[in-house]
Amino acid sequence: MAYLDNVRTFARIYELGSMSAAARDLHISPAVASARISQLEQHLNVRLFQRTTRSLSPTEQGRIFYEGATQIIAAVEDAEAGVSAITGAPAGTLFVATPLGLGRRLIAPAIADFRAAFPRISVRLRLSDRKVDLAAEGLDIAFFLGRPRDSNLRIRNIAECQRVLVASPDYIAERGHPMRGEEIAEGRHDCLNLRFPGASEYRWSLQAEDGEHAYGVRGPLECDDGDVLTDWALAGLGIAMKPLFEVADHLNQGRLVKVCEQTPPVPVQLACLYIHRRHQDPKSRLFMDFMIDRILGRLRDVPS
């Protein structure tokens, strides 16, 4: 197991490009991570990384070894999954990513119950609205809202999530209450956009009588955290497009108001991605089944 720990540590350092980042990810100290790489290099009699005080990069031998290392790790995980499926006692660690709003409101609150049901499974939950790379970041499952671009991954659909355009009563009092997409297009209103490197939603897709239309919207504020957009909308700084489950409480209590109700947003796909393996990891399947049941229950309770 010590050799396998060394290989896994090497793979995470290679993927993250940082000894300290990999150590945090693996919940070990940088000194332990460095010692494991030294042991591996001594065993192989090669240098796997070029290290300076400011940077770390794989050598040619390191790049070659990484290809084999990932196969070793995948083979062990397949074997463990096969055994767990027979014994019915799944154990280990799951690495899960989810958008901020979805994670905070639907996933994280259910973790305690999941752990109570499956105490031998640990969960490393990462919340971010940016796009994630499952293979490069060592993730088992990634929940998402939208359309995935990586066709090499397996996708499990959960639901079509209703979205709404919302603004505060103060914003509406000052700027007016738009009823259709045409009224907010091309800078006529301050629209709050979710933006991050690689983001594709530079236009808002709304439903009209003659079908779906994409409207170009602009505004002085944008952020890569969807909850910040909600806070800005509450502060009267503009109009935000949000999944209904994220803002339902604000709508019910009058802190936000729906706008453009004659051309509402196109619903967004809620699903999860996972990497296909010959034996699907039982703990991944259990986690997805558990969370999907909780998510669907919560979504049914959200008033439309």
Side-chain angles (χ1 to χ4, degrees):
M1 290 303 292
Y3 181 75
L4 184 58
D5 287 339
N6 294 348
V7 172
R8 282 175 165 149
T9 301
F10 162 77
R12 291 308 286 147
I13 295 171
Y14 186 101
E15 291 160 356
L16 297 176
S18 165
M19 188 83 68
S20 58
R24 287 193 300 271
D25 188 73
L26 295 168
H27 294 269
I28 58 176
S29 70
V32 170
S34 180
R36 287 180 179 179
I37 297 304
S38 295
Q39 292 169 12
L40 197 55
E41 289 177 331
Q42 290 174 8
H43 175 78
L44 298 170
N45 197 30
V46 298
R47 182 170 290 278
L48 298 171
F49 294 105
Q50 294 288 356
R51 304 177 184 84
T52 70
T53 55
R54 295 188 176 182
S55 66
L56 179 147
S57 60
T59 62
E60 181 63 26
Q61 293 92 334
R63 285 188 284 271
I64 293 171
F65 186 70
Y66 175 74
E67 297 301 320
T70 55
Q71 295 177 34
I72 292 169
I73 295 167
V76 171
E77 289 177 347
D78 271 354
E80 290 174 344
V83 171
S84 294
I86 294 172
T87 62
T93 301
L94 278 174
F95 293 87
V96 182
T98 175
L100 287 162
L102 175 65
R104 287 170 176 160
R105 292 166 182 81
L106 302 183
I107 304 294
I111 292 293
D113 288 343
F114 178 80
R115 283 278 296 156
F118 305 101
R120 298 183 63 196
I121 300 177
S122 299
V123 180
R124 304 286 182 259
L125 186 63
R126 301 174 185 170
L127 274 61
S128 174
D129 281 328
R130 67 174 177 83
K131 303 294 183 184
V132 298
D133 185 324
L134 272 76
E137 299 178 43
L139 296 167
D140 297 296
I141 302 167
F143 292 86
F144 71 93
L145 291 161
R147 295 183 178 90
R149 288 180 288 181
D150 192 339
S151 60
N152 295 320
L153 299 173
R154 291 295 182 93
I155 182 171
R156 185 166 173 184
N157 291 318
I158 301 173
E160 289 289 311
C161 279
Q162 183 181 348
R163 294 190 290 183
V164 289
L165 293 175
V166 295
S168 72
D170 287 344
Y171 178 89
I172 291 172
E174 180 180 347
R175 300 289 297 275
H177 190 146
M179 298 303 297
R180 300 183 59 83
E182 294 87 347
E183 298 176 56
I184 64 170
E186 303 304 334
R188 300 180 202 177
H189 277 268
D190 292 338
C191 295
L192 305 169
N193 282 301
L194 183 69
R195 298 284 177 90
F196 43 84
S200 59
E201 193 164 284
Y202 295 97
R203 301 170 70 84
W204 287 355
S205 295
L206 308 182
Q207 304 173 83
E209 294 85 352
D210 57 347
E212 181 179 328
H213 289 266
Y215 295 92
V217 294
R218 296 198 300 270
L221 299 174
E222 57 186 47
C223 186
D224 62 356
D225 182 333
D227 279 352
V228 170
L229 301 185
T230 302
D231 291 340
W232 285 343
L234 288 166
L237 299 178
I239 297 171
M241 179 187 288
K242 302 293 299 180
L244 178 59
F245 71 83
E246 289 191 19
V247 294
D249 288 343
H250 297 307
L251 290 168
N252 290 339
Q253 296 178 32
R255 293 189 293 264
L256 291 174
V257 177
K258 293 180 185 178
V259 301
C260 298
E261 291 189 81
Q262 293 180 10
T263 56
V266 174
V268 64
Q269 181 184 20
L270 168 59
C272 56
L273 293 171
Y274 60 97
I275 297 174
H276 172 65
R277 294 192 176 101
R278 185 164 54 88
H279 297 290
Q280 185 182 355
D281 187 345
K283 63 180 180 292
S284 294
R285 185 179 65 251
L286 284 170
F287 187 84
M288 285 189 286
D289 290 346
F290 188 95
M291 289 301 164
I292 288 171
D293 181 68
R294 289 300 183 92
I295 289 169
L296 291 176
R298 290 289 300 275
L299 291 179
R300 283 193 293 267
D301 293 337
V302 174
S304 60

